[in-house]
Amino acid sequence: MTTTTYPISEEQVQFYQENGYIQLLNVLTADELAQARQALDEVMEQQLDESHDRSADAEYRKIFVQKVNLWQVHGGVRRYVFNARLAEIARRLARAQTIRLWHDHALIKMPGDSKASSWHQDIPYWPMQEDGSLSCWMALDDVYVENGCMAFIPGSHRLGRLEPINLKAPQDLFKLVPDEQARELNLDFTPRFQPMPAGSCTFHDGRTFHYAGPNQSDRPRRAIITIYMPDEVHFSGKPHIVTDDLQLTPGAALTGERFPILAP
Ligand SMILES: O=C(O)CCC(=O)C(=O)O
């Protein structure tokens, strides 16, 4: 367990609430960064079953290698995911009483990965009745536009849930936005790219439009993402790799061992 805090001001909470994302610099200590990198590199060498490894699909692999719920299979990743400082930041930003884990995943863009992570929202893929779940996207390498840093559209979370995008054969998310709603919300669709040093992160709401370009550098771009659920979130019935084996009925609370409380 970590004991130090990363102070989040009320202005930062407001920025997150208004824009649906925020960037926070140097959130991990040098030791934590080194440990997280080592854990990720080790777990990438492990043989994982299909409930953890989404990298078998060759088309998907042109975007990134994705491995899911690594906290269940590697002690070092578990330590990272249970980092109370990060969960407490999520709790503050979401203005929640408690924070539970939805799942973690590693997204590694290898050099030469030729496809962008197209503009999308996350919440349409998640089997959740409530909105408000949020991701902490932690850079384990320095990230910049050319190696696939994240980009966001400020305020796009206020558009609510649109249709899920097929990341392998991407549709144009922006075409799904009703003109009238975009005008009413006064949205500026200029992407805000998020270059940042390793050990820094962004948090984004599951409804916020986001994107990362291909990795045009000669080194991997390693990121570990922890997805947090504020307070009690209920199952919608939609299929999902994290819940498929649980035989949940729609309306069931996403609680219990699979979704541990991380803060307070
Ligand atoms: O890291 C990427 O390439 C995309 C990340 C993403 O879509 C997410 O964290 O929700």
Side-chain angles (χ1 to χ4, degrees):
M1 275 285 188
T2 42
T3 47
T4 55
T5 57
Y6 184 94
I8 295 288
S9 66
E10 183 51 29
E11 286 70 33
Q12 286 173 307
V13 176
Q14 269 172 29
F15 180 93
Y16 173 78
Q17 292 276 334
E18 278 167 34
N19 293 285
Y21 75 92
I22 192 166
Q23 182 184 78
L24 301 174
L25 295 178
N26 304 316
V27 177
L28 295 186
T29 64
D31 278 353
E32 286 168 341
L33 174 60
Q35 285 163 17
R37 281 175 167 161
Q38 187 183 342
L40 198 76
D41 290 348
E42 283 173 11
V43 82
M44 285 298 143
E45 299 297 315
Q46 274 177 235
Q47 284 299 321
L48 301 174
D49 66 26
E50 281 183 355
S51 68
H52 296 285
D53 190 349
R54 310 235 16 236
S55 60
D57 182 327
E59 275 311 298
Y60 214 58
R61 249 193 352 254
K62 291 182 189 160
I63 310 172
F64 40 50
V65 173
Q66 182 182 27
K67 305 218 176 174
V68 179
N69 257 347
L70 299 176
W71 71 278
Q72 296 171 340
V73 297
H74 191 284
V77 179
R78 186 187 165 89
R79 255 192 310 285
Y80 171 78
V81 167
F82 278 67
N83 184 318
R85 185 184 328 118
L86 297 174
E88 179 58 18
I89 295 173
R91 195 183 73 79
R92 290 266 294 132
L93 294 175
R95 294 200 203 279
Q97 297 294 315
T98 57
I99 282 289
R100 279 184 192 274
L101 177 64
W102 164 230
H103 67 80
D104 68 60
H105 58 154
L107 291 179
I108 305 194
K109 282 185 183 286
M110 297 305 285
D113 276 356
S114 52
K115 286 194 170 178
S117 318
S118 315
W119 285 103
H120 66 281
Q121 297 176 300
D122 294 329
I123 192 96
Y125 307 112
W126 296 338
M128 295 177 186
Q129 291 182 341
E130 293 84 358
D131 293 328
S133 291
L134 67 167
S135 298
C136 170
W137 191 102
M138 182 64 70
L140 297 188
D141 295 291
D142 294 351
V143 288
Y144 40 92
V145 172
E146 293 75 16
N147 73 348
C149 69
M150 289 281 270
F152 301 103
I153 302 294
S156 50
H157 61 311
R158 287 183 272 133
L159 289 164
R161 299 179 186 207
L162 304 174
E163 287 303 304
I165 293 292
N166 178 354
L167 287 176
K168 288 193 285 182
Q171 305 138 268
D172 186 347
L173 176 66
F174 296 90
K175 288 205 173 119
L176 302 179
V177 179
D179 286 346
E180 199 178 319
Q181 205 187 359
R183 260 197 311 277
E184 262 169 30
L185 293 173
N186 201 16
L187 292 181
D188 168 4
F189 286 101
T190 314
R192 305 308 203 263
F193 284 89
Q194 304 293 315
M196 56 189 176
S200 306
C201 63
T202 53
F203 280 79
H204 68 270
D205 182 287
R207 293 162 294 178
T208 304
F209 288 22
H210 56 283
Y211 165 93
N215 181 1
Q216 301 173 66
S217 77
D218 55 6
R219 315 181 108 175
R221 184 227 66 180
R222 295 168 296 179
I224 183 159
I225 295 100
T226 314
I227 308 169
Y228 301 102
M229 298 186 285
D231 299 323
E232 198 164 279
V233 170
H234 298 88
F235 181 59
S236 70
K238 203 175 243 216
H240 192 279
I241 185 174
V242 171
T243 38
D244 284 348
D245 64 326
L246 290 177
Q247 278 132 20
L248 296 171
T249 47
L254 293 172
T255 56
E257 270 178 25
R258 179 95 33 115
F259 311 109
I261 291 181
L262 302 180

